[in-house]
Amino acid sequence: MVEEKKIAEGFQQTDAGIIPNDWVVKPLHEIAHFENGKAHEQFIDEHGDYIVVNSKFISTEGRVKKFSKRNIFPLKKGDITIVMSDIPKGKALAKCYLIEADDRYTLNQRIGGITANEDTDNKYLFYKLNRNKYYLAFDSGTGQTNIKRQEILDCPVALPSTKDEQENISSAIFDCNSLILELEKLLIKKRNIKKGAVQELLTPKPDWIEKELGKSAILKARIGWQGLTTAEYKDTGDYYLITGTEFHNGYIDWDNCHFVEYERYKQDKNIQVKEHDVLVTKDGTIGKVALIKNVPKPATLNSGVFVIRPIEDSFNPEFFYFILLSDVFLRFLSQLSAGSTINHLYQKDFVTFKFKVPKTIDEQESIAKILFDMDSEIEHLEKKLTKVKALKNGIMQDLLTGKKRLK
């Protein structure tokens, strides 16, 4: 016997889900006007004045554009556009875009144009319709989905009974979106600044010294015949196994590591990972780089990863880590491949890698610190962006279902 879902006091079960008792559910055709777009093929022109609102434009949040020399289906600021056709399990079906200006956009075929009635807040309606579950249910997963006009119009929409509450909800979500956009812009700016700093700081100066990797560092990897099979990977344990798949933004994502038994960990002391080790993948996707900043538990390498340790004070490992992230190392890998795809980085080749470093370790450390500080700032912004996006999702879930009210 299936247990009925308990509905909290003050809420009701409807075709649009569980909502507050004072909310209403209306089909889209009662709260908005709908039109189908028109074909633009004969008017497409890269120098056109009008942005064609098509599936690609909507699915990329407006980043990918085509232009038309004629506006054959004008859209107004505040209109909602919706993708009506997509491949099986596609990401574009029912995705919406809110038009931002008058006399700038023209609606393409298989895209719907929706204009909210004066009693309905258009932004609220946009958030309700965007990838709405009602529309996504038309996707069978086996063939092209084409949502019909009447199916678009029959969508049940849950609404606060007052437009003021609708506007309060959409404003709160819009504010979250604005913060996300600002953080994304700031991240792009910081990444570009770092890119310029890397170029400037790692460009060799006249007094820099050339090093050859094999003469200035020790390279170690697990012997091929000692490599672990996936059957030996453990989900929990006391000894991490690094395979290369855990490399994330130049560091190790320890949460995604597998584990190994102690017998495998102790096989080779030379590949037991230490702080300041530089790791490079040598199989599969070669040349991925990671720096060991900390080792939360003892860790070892599988056969697809090199560990690099400088001999005495031949160079600063953190500085070398940034060299490996630069164009210098990319060019070296390209020369090895000679235009073809390679899936193995041999030690006999890697030891010939030549690079230049400042004369003193202190100067190398200073440069590395500047770049690490930039990395830390970028990482902080990335974490903040992730939190704001999660907050926005929670806010949308609560506000668009009436679990939390903004009257």
Side-chain angles (χ1 to χ4, degrees), residues 329-345:
F329 187 48
L330 290 177
R331 286 195 296 271
F332 171 76
L333 293 176
S334 296
Q335 289 165 0
L336 285 181
S337 64
S340 62
T341 301
I342 59 173
N343 55 17
H344 190 86
L345 178 59

Side-chain angles (χ1 to χ4, degrees), residues 2 15 22 26 46-47 83 90 107 115 126 187 210 221 228 273 301 321 330 346 364 375 377 398 400:
V2 179
D15 291 341
D22 60 334
K26 294 183 179 181
E46 62 178 316
H47 301 296
V83 178
L107 192 67
T115 304
F126 164 76
L187 263 171
E210 184 174 82
L228 284 84
V273 174
L301 306 176
Y321 160 75
L330 290 177
Y346 293 99
Q364 295 175 35
D375 274 350
E377 189 175 7
D398 288 343
L400 293 173

Side-chain angles (χ1 to χ4, degrees), residues 213 219-222 242-248 250-252 278-291 301-308 320-321 324-325 329-330 332-333 336 342-347 350:
L213 187 58
L219 276 72
K220 292 291 182 181
R222 181 178 289 272
I242 298 173
T243 66
T245 61
E246 315 82 5
F247 288 26
H248 179 70
Y251 303 103
I252 300 298
V278 179
L279 308 182
V280 178
T281 55
K282 66 186 188 74
D283 293 324
T285 305
I286 69 166
K288 290 167 59 180
V289 182
L291 177 72
L301 306 176
N302 208 358
S303 55
V305 183
F306 282 122
V307 59
I308 301 163
F320 179 69
Y321 160 75
L324 292 179
L325 293 177
F329 187 48
L330 290 177
F332 171 76
L333 293 176
L336 285 181
I342 59 173
N343 55 17
H344 190 86
L345 178 59
Y346 293 99
Q347 184 158 343
F350 197 12

